[in-house]
Amino acid sequence: MKFKLKARVSRSDARTIQDALEELSAKGSINKAAEEFMVEADMEGNSAKELNRTLLSAL
C-alpha cells in the first residue's frame, strides 16, 4: 500500500532525517520550520503503523 507521510520532527539535523527516509526508500522533502523539520514523503508498506514505527526506529 502507498502512504503519504506528513510529520513534524524535532531533530537538529536534516541529514539524519534524510538518511532515515533514504533507508526506507521514501521520496520526499524536508523543510525547516522554527525548532523542527516538516517532512513530507511517499512511502510503501503494509500499514501506516508499521511505517511510523520503522521511521522512528531509523531516526
Side-chain angles (χ1 to χ4, degrees), residues 2-33:
K2 291 186 178 187
F3 293 92
K4 179 77 171 181
L5 168 74
K6 290 187 179 184
R8 292 181 186 179
V9 179
S10 298
R11 192 101 177 161
S12 61
D13 182 11
R15 186 71 213 157
T16 301
I17 300 167
Q18 185 64 44
D19 289 345
L21 290 177
E22 288 174 6
E23 182 178 320
L24 300 172
S25 299
K27 303 291 184 208
S29 64
I30 303 168
N31 297 303
K32 181 81 169 156

